[in-house]
Amino acid sequence: MSLYDEGHTIAGWTGVGITAVGGSVAGWGVCVSSPSLIATGLAVVAMSALVTWVLHLTGWGKPPGVRPREEWGMRVRDTWAREGHPGCVGCRLAGRGRRVSTVPEASSPAGDADAESRLLSPVK
């Protein structure tokens, strides 16, 4: 069995449910040639993205990757949501993304002041 638990979250399933309703309304609008139904369905689909994002930020969505088995349940909140998940676009949009700065090992010859200043400069 895989150690990955992708998409089994309250945020994920809520987003899928709202998107299914919006897609059905838009599809119905196409069948009856109603621009207002198509627009309403597309608005519901856009709203599903916002609802999923908010649920993710409140801890009901989990980041991709390997997690311990006790964190696999849908009703288990993500404890790292407040600080942001590394590499998560949703967390970055909310200003929560973790910044990981890596400084390479000094491999320049001793006495090279320019190489030392490049290594000590902040990572952008």
Side-chain angles (χ1 to χ4, degrees):
M1 177 170 224
S2 174
L3 294 176
Y4 290 90
D5 182 39
E6 304 291 334
H8 301 287
T9 63
I10 299 288
W13 283 109
T14 302
V16 166
I18 296 172
T19 301
V21 170
S24 298
V25 170
W28 183 33
V30 168
C31 290
V32 297
S33 299
S34 172
S36 62
L37 277 177
I38 295 171
T40 301
L42 294 177
V44 170
V45 169
M47 182 185 69
S48 74
L50 292 175
V51 168
T52 304
W53 184 44
V54 168
L55 285 171
H56 173 77
L57 293 176
T58 58
W60 292 111
K62 297 173 186 163
V66 178
R67 282 187 297 282
R69 187 173 289 276
E70 58 270 3
E71 293 181 12
W72 282 13
M74 276 184 55
R75 296 181 184 182
V76 176
R77 288 186 84 165
D78 183 19
T79 57
W80 292 98
R82 287 187 182 255
E83 286 122 25
H85 305 112
C88 178
V89 175
C91 290
R92 290 277 171 102
L93 288 173
R96 293 185 182 179
R98 293 185 195 161
R99 294 201 171 110
V100 179
S101 63
T102 58
V103 178
E105 293 294 322
S107 61
S108 63
D112 187 6
D114 188 42
E116 276 189 48
S117 67
R118 283 193 308 264
L119 287 174
L120 297 176
S121 65
V123 177
K124 293 182 183 179

